[in-house]
Coordinates of all heavy atoms in Angstrom, one line a residue:
G90 N -45.8 202.9 121.2 CA -47.1 202.4 120.9 C -47.1 200.9 120.8 O -46.1 200.2 120.9
S91 N -48.3 200.4 120.5 CA -48.5 198.9 120.3 C -47.9 198.5 119.0 O -47.7 199.3 118.1 CB -49.9 198.6 120.4 OG -50.6 199.0 119.2
H92 N -47.7 197.1 118.9 CA -47.2 196.6 117.6 C -48.3 196.8 116.5 O -47.9 197.0 115.3 CB -46.9 195.1 117.7 CG -45.6 194.9 118.5 ND1 -44.4 195.2 118.1 CD2 -45.4 194.3 119.7 CE1 -43.5 194.9 118.9 NE2 -44.1 194.4 120.0
F93 N -49.5 196.8 116.9 CA -50.6 197.0 115.9 C -50.5 198.4 115.3 O -50.6 198.6 114.1 CB -52.0 196.8 116.5 CG -53.1 197.1 115.6 CD1 -53.3 196.2 114.5 CD2 -54.0 198.1 115.8 CE1 -54.4 196.5 113.6 CE2 -55.0 198.4 114.9 CZ -55.2 197.6 113.8
E94 N -50.2 199.4 116.2 CA -50.1 200.8 115.7 C -48.9 200.9 114.7 O -48.9 201.5 113.7 CB -49.9 201.7 116.9 CG -51.1 201.9 117.7 CD -50.9 202.7 119.0 OE1 -49.7 202.9 119.3 OE2 -51.9 203.0 119.6
S95 N -47.8 200.2 115.1 CA -46.6 200.2 114.2 C -46.9 199.6 112.9 O -46.5 200.0 111.8 CB -45.4 199.5 114.9 OG -45.1 200.2 116.0
F96 N -47.7 198.5 112.9 CA -48.0 197.8 111.7 C -48.9 198.7 110.8 O -48.7 198.8 109.6 CB -48.8 196.5 111.9 CG -49.3 195.8 110.7 CD1 -48.4 195.1 109.9 CD2 -50.6 195.9 110.3 CE1 -48.8 194.5 108.7 CE2 -51.0 195.2 109.1 CZ -50.1 194.5 108.4
K97 N -49.9 199.4 111.4 CA -50.7 200.3 110.6 C -49.9 201.4 110.0 O -50.1 201.9 108.9 CB -51.8 200.9 111.5 CG -52.9 199.9 111.8 CD -53.9 200.5 112.8 CE -54.6 201.7 112.3 NZ -55.7 202.2 113.2
S98 N -48.8 201.9 110.7 CA -48.0 203.0 110.2 C -47.2 202.5 109.0 O -46.9 203.3 108.1 CB -47.0 203.5 111.3 OG -46.1 202.5 111.6
M99 N -46.9 201.2 108.9 CA -46.3 200.7 107.6 C -47.2 200.9 106.4 O -46.7 200.9 105.3 CB -45.8 199.3 107.8 CG -44.7 199.1 108.8 SD -44.0 197.5 108.8 CE -45.3 196.5 109.2
L100 N -48.5 201.0 106.7 CA -49.4 201.2 105.6 C -49.7 202.7 105.3 O -50.5 203.0 104.5 CB -50.8 200.5 105.9 CG -50.7 199.0 106.2 CD1 -52.1 198.5 106.6 CD2 -50.3 198.3 104.9
G101 N -48.9 203.5 106.0 CA -49.0 204.9 105.8 C -49.9 205.6 106.9 O -50.0 206.8 106.9
D102 N -50.5 204.9 107.8 CA -51.4 205.5 108.8 C -50.5 205.6 110.1 O -50.5 204.8 111.0 CB -52.6 204.6 109.1 CG -53.5 205.2 110.1 OD1 -53.4 206.4 110.4 OD2 -54.4 204.4 110.6
H103 N -49.7 206.7 110.1 CA -48.8 206.9 111.2 C -49.6 207.3 112.5 O -50.4 208.2 112.5 CB -47.9 208.1 110.9 CG -47.0 207.8 109.8 ND1 -45.8 207.1 109.9 CD2 -47.1 208.2 108.5 CE1 -45.3 207.0 108.7 NE2 -46.0 207.7 107.8
Q104 N -49.5 206.4 113.5 CA -50.2 206.6 114.8 C -49.5 207.7 115.6 O -48.3 207.6 115.9 CB -50.3 205.3 115.5 CG -51.0 204.2 114.8 CD -52.4 204.6 114.5 OE1 -53.2 204.7 115.4 NE2 -52.8 204.7 113.2
I105 N -50.2 208.8 115.9 CA -49.7 210.0 116.5 C -50.5 210.3 117.8 O -51.7 210.6 117.7 CB -49.6 211.2 115.6 CG1 -48.8 210.9 114.4 CG2 -49.1 212.4 116.4 CD1 -48.8 211.9 113.3
K106 N -49.9 210.0 119.0 CA -50.6 210.3 120.2 C -50.0 211.6 120.8 O -48.8 211.6 121.2 CB -50.5 209.2 121.2 CG -51.2 207.9 120.7 CD -51.1 206.8 121.7 CE -51.8 205.6 121.3 NZ -51.7 204.5 122.2
S107 N -50.7 212.7 120.7 CA -50.1 214.0 121.0 C -50.6 214.5 122.4 O -51.8 214.2 122.8 CB -50.5 215.0 119.9 OG -50.1 216.3 120.2
I108 N -49.8 215.3 123.0 CA -50.2 216.1 124.2 C -50.0 217.6 123.9 O -49.9 218.4 124.9 CB -49.6 215.6 125.5 CG1 -48.0 215.7 125.4 CG2 -50.1 214.2 125.9 CD1 -47.3 215.4 126.7
G109 N -49.8 217.9 122.7 CA -49.7 219.3 122.3 C -48.3 219.9 122.1 O -48.1 221.1 122.1
M110 N -47.3 219.0 121.9 CA -45.9 219.5 121.7 C -45.8 220.2 120.4 O -46.5 219.8 119.4 CB -45.0 218.3 121.8 CG -44.7 217.8 123.2 SD -43.6 216.4 123.2 CE -42.1 217.1 122.5
P111 N -44.9 221.2 120.2 CA -44.7 221.8 118.9 C -44.1 220.8 117.9 O -43.3 219.9 118.3 CB -43.8 223.0 119.2 CG -43.1 222.6 120.5 CD -44.1 221.8 121.2
D112 N -44.4 220.9 116.7 CA -43.8 220.0 115.6 C -42.4 220.3 115.5 O -41.9 221.4 115.7 CB -44.5 220.2 114.3 CG -45.7 219.4 114.1 OD1 -45.7 218.2 114.6 OD2 -46.7 219.8 113.4
S113 N -41.6 219.3 115.1 CA -40.2 219.5 114.7 C -40.0 219.0 113.3 O -41.0 218.5 112.7 CB -39.3 218.6 115.7 OG -39.6 217.2 115.4
E114 N -38.9 219.2 112.8 CA -38.6 218.7 111.4 C -38.9 217.2 111.3 O -39.4 216.7 110.3 CB -37.2 219.1 111.0 CG -36.9 219.0 109.5 CD -37.8 219.9 108.6 OE1 -38.1 221.0 109.1 OE2 -38.1 219.6 107.5
H115 N -38.4 216.5 112.3 CA -38.6 215.0 112.3 C -40.1 214.6 112.4 O -40.6 213.8 111.6 CB -37.9 214.4 113.5 CG -37.8 212.9 113.4 ND1 -36.7 212.2 113.8 CD2 -38.6 211.9 113.0 CE1 -36.8 210.9 113.6 NE2 -38.0 210.7 113.1
S116 N -40.9 215.3 113.2 CA -42.3 214.9 113.4 C -43.1 215.3 112.1 O -44.1 214.7 111.9 CB -42.9 215.6 114.6 OG -43.1 217.0 114.5
K117 N -42.6 216.3 111.4 CA -43.3 216.6 110.1 C -43.0 215.7 109.0 O -43.6 215.8 107.9 CB -43.0 218.1 109.8 CG -43.7 219.1 110.7 CD -43.6 220.5 110.3 CE -42.2 221.0 110.5 NZ -42.0 222.5 110.2
N118 N -41.9 215.0 109.1 CA -41.4 214.1 108.0 C -41.1 212.7 108.5 O -40.0 212.3 108.5 CB -40.1 214.7 107.4 CG -40.4 216.1 106.8 OD1 -41.0 216.2 105.8 ND2 -39.9 217.1 107.5
L119 N -42.2 212.0 108.9 CA -42.0 210.7 109.5 C -41.5 209.7 108.5 O -41.8 209.7 107.3 CB -43.3 210.2 110.1 CG -43.9 211.0 111.3 CD1 -45.2 210.5 111.7 CD2 -42.9 210.9 112.5
G120 N -40.6 208.8 109.0 CA -40.1 207.8 108.1 C -41.0 206.6 108.0 O -42.1 206.5 108.7
Y121 N -40.7 205.7 107.2 CA -41.5 204.5 107.0 C -41.7 203.7 108.3 O -40.8 203.4 109.0 CB -40.8 203.5 106.0 CG -41.5 202.2 105.7 CD1 -42.6 202.2 104.9 CD2 -41.0 201.1 106.3 CE1 -43.3 201.0 104.7 CE2 -41.6 199.9 106.1 CZ -42.8 199.8 105.3 OH -43.4 198.6 105.1
G122 N -43.0 203.5 108.6 CA -43.3 202.8 109.8 C -43.3 203.5 111.2 O -43.5 202.9 112.2
E123 N -42.9 204.8 111.2 CA -42.8 205.5 112.4 C -44.1 205.9 113.1 O -45.0 206.2 112.4 CB -41.9 206.8 112.3 CG -40.5 206.5 112.3 CD -39.7 207.8 112.3 OE1 -39.8 208.6 111.4 OE2 -38.9 207.9 113.3
T124 N -44.1 205.8 114.4 CA -45.3 206.3 115.2 C -44.7 207.3 116.2 O -43.5 207.4 116.4 CB -45.9 205.1 116.0 OG1 -44.9 204.6 116.9 CG2 -46.4 204.0 115.1
I125 N -45.7 208.1 116.7 CA -45.3 209.1 117.7 C -46.1 208.9 119.0 O -47.4 208.7 118.9 CB -45.5 210.5 117.2 CG1 -44.5 210.9 116.1 CG2 -45.4 211.5 118.3 CD1 -44.7 212.2 115.4
T126 N -45.5 208.9 120.1 CA -46.2 209.0 121.4 C -45.5 210.1 122.2 O -44.3 210.1 122.4 CB -46.0 207.7 122.2 OG1 -46.5 206.6 121.4 CG2 -46.8 207.7 123.5
E127 N -46.3 211.1 122.6 CA -45.8 212.2 123.5 C -46.2 211.9 124.9 O -47.4 211.5 125.2 CB -46.4 213.5 123.0 CG -45.9 213.9 121.6 CD -46.5 215.2 121.0 OE1 -47.4 215.8 121.7 OE2 -46.1 215.6 119.9

Side-chain angles (χ1 to χ4, degrees):
S91 69
H92 288 293
F93 178 66
E94 290 171 352
S95 296
F96 177 75
K97 286 174 65 177
S98 69
M99 291 190 303
L100 301 174
D102 183 14
H103 297 281
Q104 300 298 294
I105 301 170
K106 294 181 179 178
S107 175
I108 57 172
M110 288 179 60
D112 273 328
S113 67
E114 195 62 32
H115 191 142
S116 70
K117 290 189 286 189
N118 297 290
L119 293 175
Y121 177 75
E123 277 191 301
T124 62
I125 290 176
T126 303
E127 295 177 358

